[in-house]
Amino acid sequence: MLISLEWLKEYVEINEDVKELENALTMIGQEVEAIEEQGQHLDNVVVGHIVEYGQHPDADKLSLLKVNVGEETPLQIICGAPNHKLGDKVIVAKIGAVLPGNFKIKKAKVRGVESCGMLCSEVELGMGTDGDGIVILSEDAPIGEDIRTHLGLDDVIFELEITPNRPDCLSHIGIAREVAAYYERKVKYPASDIRTLTGPSGIVVDIDDDKRCTRYSSRILKNVKVEESPEWLKRRLKAIGLRPINNIVDITNYIMFEYNQPMHAFDHSKLEGSKITVREAEKGEKITTLDGEERELNNSELVIADEAKAVAIAGIMGGKNTEVDENTTEILLEVAYFTPENIRKTAKTLGLSSDSSYRFERGIDRDNTLVVLERASSLIQSITNCEVVGEYADVYTDPYTPREVSMDINRLNKFVGKEIELDTVGKILNSLNMQIKNRGENKISVIPPSYRNDITRSADLYEEIIRMYGFENIEDKMPVENIKAGVVDEEFQTTDTSKKHLRDMGLQEVINYSFIPRGILEKLKVEAETIDIKNPINEDMVTLRPTLMYGLLTNIRDNFNRNINDLKIFEVSRTFTKAETLADEVVKVGIALAGREERNLWDAKPEAYDFYDLKGYVESYLTAMGMTKYQLRRTENKSYHPGRAVDIFVGREYIGTFGEIHPDVAEAMSISRERVYLAELELAKVVKYGKTKIKYEKIVKYPAVNRDLAILMDRDKLVGDMLGDIKKSSNIIEGVNLFDIYTGDKVEADKKSIAINIVLRKTTGTLEENEVTAAIDKILGLIKKKYQGEIRQ
């Protein structure tokens, strides 16, 4: 938001220098991003008079001029602009001038002819946007006068960062209120002096959609003369970056930046009938807006319409069909209130934004429309000497109701950290145009003005008081508190510990979105009660994930597509399933292996990952988490390859699954290069069965006895179950390890040979041969009875 200091001084007395005012604005929350002092780059730029006009001898498009700048000898200047003639008063940058952009004016030769200066356009002077031709001054401009003096370019422009909750500060009067409150001064509101005609308003207003438009005020002005705006008005608009158009449009823009009230002027003669309707657009209705674009509406927009057509998109932009032009003699002024939600939605839908929509989106003062209507009518009449119809139309369907906000002074002081007297509080609130009612000892009710929609609770009042009291007036004081060390959240701690263990194992962490595409679970063969998002960002983020599988497989696929072939990744994140209230959130640990491990050995070929690589990582992780007692069972999970994946159980409680992904799932995810191995475990259950305390045991000094057995058994028997039973068969068995499985021509087709190593040891003494023999005999009996296995001969 650009604020002109010259303009601001019309509403509040300001004697402070620029630096002091900058500090004051920043301290009260209106942060100054930049300051531009107009005219600071216009040394040696003066008013000139073209006294001779000729053609450059070697260039048809260049003119050769003699320009009187108040010196003994006129300056010879070559100019390429098309819009000057003999006798014009112009702006001349003399030799030595340094224009904006560090453009230095020097004596130069243009096609062999000397030029001793330059005639300037608005763009070259940094005072406007018109660069098509040079600036032509009025005939009475004094020759040789400094251009800053002549044009009044002694203004200072502040660029302010206005927060979204303070739309009232998107105007000069809004900032004047802030400055006046800070310096304890009065705001000088502009007077409206109108000569009116007697008679009816000549217009009927019907608000058909009173949910999105709660007030519409309008008035007719007759015998209007549309022409160029006076210099003071053009200078004000240019100062804040606006291009002057004509006196009527310029005044509506001036009012918007004066009062923060967008308004619009219609050519009354182009309106059909005497009725204005605020209604919803018809499906497929078209309107050409002032920017020249034809726009098709879809029934959700709010429009202003006469008795035959839409003439404006409410709160955003007027229509070309009622545009004010040089032939306009009668206008209809509109000042209205449109709800922020409607304007925001319409602007986004149409991709159309304007200064008006920017303000309506943030909220304006709906109780101020008649004040603005009077002000605009007064300005137009003073400039054009038009006639103003005395009566106006004003439909107010939902009048503003002042609200009361309660505040406890003791709570304020506790919040601020300093005792602020009640009188000081009252003085600050009154300076901000807030009314105060006493509600008992140290308790008050505050009634904010209608333009302060952001004041809704006591905390908002605290902010107002602090910023006007001054942060610098609140002493630094350390709080006196009994500070105790906090306790780390248990879930955070276990999650962080899990990640550390997985990273230490050489896995790389990935982080995926919690959203997955609609219908992807069918491709993954996952059955779960899912939760869909009502307003998804896009079609790839529709459903909350019940599994980490989609994200991990996507990571694998995308890396394969980029020729990265050694993938060892993990993710520890939340998953979501539908519950009676909201969702069941479960933190899961996902591990994925794919591709071929790169070796650093000389001439070693990469080997593809297999099930046992993943099994090693899973078991290492479980061991690190203190979980050592669990069972592996062949899984029936349809997402995994049958026979190449297992479930992890502790007793009857399911912990997770790991193994090779089903080929159909891999194909559905466009992964065909290598097999993918994936594990997914529930972290809470891992923690539940993990030992958090480490128990140390003495090293057993007695020797171990090793026995190797080759067992012949049916192919469909599960070796893992047999190994578990062997381990539990005797208390002197320290370990059971599988080291070979053989199937081939040396054994029957439906058989397999299992080679296992059994480690036996006593902690209380050396094993005797008869103890070892008894233990082995018991193992062989178990194998024969339960698994129909026998020693391979």
Side-chain angles (χ1 to χ4, degrees):
M1 174 66 191
L2 300 181
I3 293 293
S4 159
L5 180 57
E6 178 189 328
W7 193 349
L8 188 65
K9 286 181 178 179
E10 283 198 8
Y11 313 114
V12 62
E13 181 183 351
I14 298 177
N15 302 314
E16 290 71 22
D17 62 26
V18 172
K19 282 293 181 185
E20 163 60 23
L21 184 57
E22 176 190 10
N23 180 67
L25 288 168
T26 299
M27 293 305 295
I28 59 179
Q30 313 305 334
E31 184 179 353
V32 179
E33 291 196 325
I35 298 176
E36 178 194 352
E37 296 186 33
Q38 286 189 342
Q40 63 178 333
H41 299 296
L42 298 182
D43 290 333
N44 285 323
V45 181
V46 299
V47 175
H49 181 213
I50 300 176
V51 294
E52 289 185 22
Y53 185 99
Q55 196 74 32
H56 189 290
D58 293 325
D60 294 340
K61 295 184 178 181
L62 297 178
S63 55
L64 180 60
L65 312 173
K66 290 292 181 66
V67 184
N68 180 8
V69 293
E71 299 175 356
E72 291 185 8
T73 306
L75 300 179
Q76 179 170 286
I77 297 175
I78 296 173
C79 181
N83 65 323
H84 58 284
K85 62 183 184 302
L86 182 66
D88 278 345
K89 295 287 183 69
V90 292
I91 299 177
V92 181
K94 300 192 295 182
I95 293 172
V98 181
L99 301 182
N102 198 33
F103 180 56
K104 299 178 181 179
I105 304 300
K106 302 176 182 179
K107 184 183 292 187
K109 283 191 176 182
V110 180
R111 295 198 178 183
V113 179
E114 190 175 75
S115 181
C116 301
M118 184 176 78
L119 306 191
C120 302
S121 67
E122 287 185 354
V123 170
E124 290 160 339
L125 296 171
M127 51 180 278
T129 58
D130 187 358
D132 294 335
I134 62 172
V135 177
I136 305 298
L137 301 174
S138 59
E139 294 180 0
D140 58 354
I143 297 172
E145 184 176 45
D146 189 294
I147 200 64
R148 289 173 293 198
T149 303
H150 180 68
L151 295 180
L153 295 177
D154 53 357
D155 200 358
V156 178
I157 308 301
F158 291 86
E159 183 178 350
L160 304 183
E161 175 66 31
I162 306 298
T163 54
N165 66 315
R166 293 300 308 275
D168 58 297
C169 291
L170 291 170
S171 65
H172 284 75
I173 286 180
I175 297 299
R177 292 189 188 114
E178 296 284 287
V179 173
Y182 184 77
Y183 287 119
E184 300 180 8
R185 295 168 188 166
K186 295 289 184 181
V187 177
K188 298 176 287 186
Y189 289 96
S192 298
D193 183 16
I194 309 175
R195 305 180 308 278
T196 59
L197 299 172
T198 58
S201 66
I203 199 75
V204 176
V205 172
D206 177 22
I207 299 180
D208 186 52
D209 191 333
D210 60 3
K211 292 289 187 291
R212 295 190 284 176
C213 174
T214 59
R215 192 171 193 182
Y216 194 96
S217 307
S218 62
R219 165 179 264 163
I220 293 175
L221 282 68
K222 298 181 178 181
N223 296 322
V224 175
K225 186 177 181 182
V226 179
E227 55 188 0
E228 188 176 336
S229 295
E231 284 299 324
W232 70 266
L233 179 54
K234 291 193 292 184
R235 188 168 68 249
R236 287 280 165 83
L237 297 180
K238 287 178 181 179
I240 59 172
L242 293 183
R243 179 175 62 87
I245 297 174
N246 60 52
N247 50 5
I248 304 303
V249 175
D250 291 350
I251 287 173
T252 61
N253 285 331
Y254 181 88
I255 295 293
M256 178 166 60
F257 285 89
E258 180 179 58
Y259 269 105
N260 188 45
Q261 171 65 64
M263 61 183 305
H264 189 65
F266 299 97
D267 186 327
H268 188 238
S269 66
K270 297 176 183 177
L271 295 171
E272 298 186 47
S274 59
K275 184 178 179 180
I276 289 290
T277 304
V278 184
R279 61 169 172 80
E280 188 175 64
E282 297 173 0
K283 184 70 175 178
E285 187 172 11
K286 295 181 179 180
I287 180 173
T288 300
T289 47
L290 288 172
D291 58 1
E293 294 287 330
E294 183 181 67
R295 304 181 187 277
E296 183 173 335
L297 309 180
N298 62 15
N299 198 227
S300 64
E301 303 87 355
L302 195 67
V303 297
I304 313 300
D306 60 18
E307 295 184 21
K309 61 187 179 300
V311 295
I313 300 174
I316 299 180
M317 190 172 288
K320 195 79 173 174
N321 50 14
T322 54
E323 181 183 14
V324 172
D325 55 33
E326 65 276 7
N327 299 316
T328 300
T329 58
E330 193 169 297
I331 63 173
L332 173 71
L333 286 181
E334 164 200 281
V335 185
Y337 177 82
F338 306 107
T339 57
E341 299 82 4
N342 161 62
I343 300 300
R344 194 177 300 118
K345 181 179 178 180
T346 301
K348 183 178 180 180
T349 300
L350 297 178
L352 178 62
S353 183
S354 63
D355 284 326
S356 294
S357 66
Y358 184 81
R359 285 160 173 75
F360 278 122
E361 285 176 8
R362 285 155 179 76
I364 62 169
D365 183 5
R366 61 176 165 172
D367 211 39
N368 201 45
T369 60
L370 292 183
V371 172
V372 171
L373 187 62
E374 291 287 297
R375 170 66 168 157
S377 302
S378 175
L379 273 177
I380 293 174
Q381 188 176 66
S382 67
I383 290 175
T384 69
N385 198 29
C386 66
E387 296 173 330
V388 179
V389 175
E391 293 187 17
Y392 50 78
D394 180 35
V395 180
Y396 202 175
T397 61
D398 183 19
Y400 173 77
T401 304
R403 61 187 176 280
E404 293 189 16
V405 181
S406 299
M407 187 177 72
D408 187 315
I409 302 300
N410 293 328
R411 289 188 177 181
L412 165 69
N413 290 333
K414 185 177 180 181
F415 181 84
V416 174
K418 180 175 182 175
E419 295 290 326
I420 302 178
E421 295 181 0
L422 180 60
D423 288 345
T424 303
V425 171
K427 190 175 180 181
I428 290 173
L429 294 176
N430 283 327
S431 72
L432 292 166
N433 296 326
M434 299 188 193
Q435 300 177 37
I436 300 175
K437 293 182 180 179
N438 288 323
R439 292 296 184 193
E441 187 176 358
N442 287 325
K443 291 184 179 180
I444 60 175
S445 286
V446 180
I447 303 175
S450 57
Y451 55 82
R452 291 302 303 274
N453 293 318
D454 59 308
I455 305 294
T456 59
R457 53 182 181 161
S458 58
D460 297 327
L461 295 173
Y462 297 167
E463 180 183 350
E464 296 300 298
I465 293 164
I466 293 170
R467 70 189 184 92
M468 288 300 170
Y469 183 76
F471 291 98
E472 69 278 8
N473 295 321
I474 300 174
E475 299 85 0
D476 296 334
K477 186 185 294 184
M478 289 296 292
V480 179
E481 294 287 348
N482 182 17
I483 301 175
K484 296 181 180 180
V487 178
V488 179
D489 178 73
E490 185 177 350
E491 182 182 297
F492 174 83
Q493 190 172 28
T494 55
T495 299
D496 195 53
T497 301
S498 291
K499 290 181 178 181
K500 181 180 182 303
H501 290 323
L502 293 165
R503 285 194 296 267
D504 290 346
M505 290 157 52
L507 301 176
Q508 185 172 3
E509 183 178 6
V510 296
I511 300 174
N512 291 302
Y513 288 114
S514 297
F515 309 108
I516 58 177
R518 181 181 285 120
I520 192 64
L521 293 180
E522 295 179 7
K523 296 181 179 180
L524 299 180
K525 300 180 181 293
V526 173
E527 296 180 2
E529 289 289 323
T530 57
I531 303 168
D532 286 346
I533 305 301
K534 288 185 177 180
N535 55 339
I537 299 173
N538 56 50
E539 286 303 310
D540 288 335
M541 295 185 174
V542 176
T543 304
L544 282 170
R545 63 182 177 189
T547 172
L548 303 179
M549 185 180 294
Y550 173 75
L552 292 170
L553 293 180
T554 300
N555 299 143
I556 298 291
R557 179 196 65 201
D558 292 346
N559 278 278
F560 276 174
N561 290 342
R562 290 165 175 79
N563 291 322
I564 299 173
N565 300 313
D566 181 7
L567 298 171
K568 297 181 291 185
I569 60 177
F570 78 90
E571 181 175 13
V572 183
S573 295
R574 291 180 182 274
T575 59
F576 309 85
T577 52
K578 188 177 290 186
E580 292 184 7
T581 57
L582 297 179
D584 283 332
E585 299 184 27
V586 178
V587 178
K588 292 187 178 181
V589 178
I591 302 173
L593 304 181
R596 297 174 180 268
E597 185 176 15
E598 294 180 359
R599 305 285 181 89
N600 293 323
L601 299 175
W602 177 257
D603 201 28
K605 295 182 178 179
E607 293 185 7
Y609 291 109
D610 59 21
F611 171 85
Y612 296 102
D613 291 313
L614 179 61
K615 182 173 182 288
Y617 281 113
V618 172
E619 291 182 338
S620 296
Y621 167 70
L622 294 177
T623 301
M625 294 296 289
M627 183 175 166
T628 56
K629 294 183 179 180
Y630 52 87
Q631 301 84 44
L632 302 181
R633 303 175 188 171
R634 184 173 293 175
T635 187
E636 295 182 1
N637 191 322
K638 296 178 181 178
S639 301
Y640 292 83
H641 193 299
R644 295 180 185 173
V646 294
D647 292 332
I648 306 172
F649 280 87
V650 175
R652 295 184 178 181
E653 187 161 21
Y654 170 79
I655 307 299
T657 302
F658 69 89
E660 183 183 335
I661 289 298
H662 196 287
D664 292 345
V665 173
E667 183 180 355
M669 291 297 296
S670 301
I671 302 173
S672 58
R673 185 179 301 182
E674 300 283 355
R675 293 177 177 179
V676 179
Y677 300 90
L678 188 141
E680 191 167 22
L681 318 175
E682 295 187 24
L683 179 58
K685 293 179 181 179
V686 172
V687 174
K688 176 181 177 181
Y689 294 106
K691 292 181 180 179
T692 56
K693 294 182 179 180
I694 299 174
K695 182 179 179 182
Y696 292 93
E697 295 180 351
K698 292 190 299 181
I699 298 174
V700 180
K701 63 182 180 179
Y702 302 106
V705 175
N706 287 272
R707 291 290 185 268
D708 292 340
L709 300 177
I711 307 297
L712 192 66
M713 59 192 298
D714 294 340
R715 281 198 179 193
D716 60 351
K717 299 296 182 182
L718 298 179
V719 177
D721 293 347
M722 184 181 73
L723 297 180
D725 288 340
I726 292 173
K727 181 73 182 290
K728 292 184 288 185
S729 66
S730 174
N731 59 4
I732 66 170
I733 296 178
E734 187 176 88
V736 181
N737 301 301
L738 172 71
F739 65 86
D740 186 44
I741 299 178
Y742 174 74
T743 57
D745 55 0
K746 300 290 181 70
V747 298
E748 297 175 31
D750 60 345
K751 300 288 184 179
K752 59 186 175 183
S753 175
I754 308 298
I756 59 176
N757 171 258
I758 301 173
V759 181
L760 305 100
R761 192 198 307 262
K762 275 202 318 186
T763 60
T764 58
T766 303
L767 281 170
E768 300 291 338
E769 184 62 33
N770 61 334
E771 293 176 300
V772 174
T773 301
I776 295 298
D777 288 344
K778 188 176 181 179
I779 291 170
L780 293 174
L782 169 69
I783 293 173
K784 185 172 183 179
K785 181 178 180 181
K786 189 171 182 178
Y787 297 96
Q788 292 77 49
E790 56 186 17
I791 292 290
R792 183 181 174 190
Q793 301 299 324

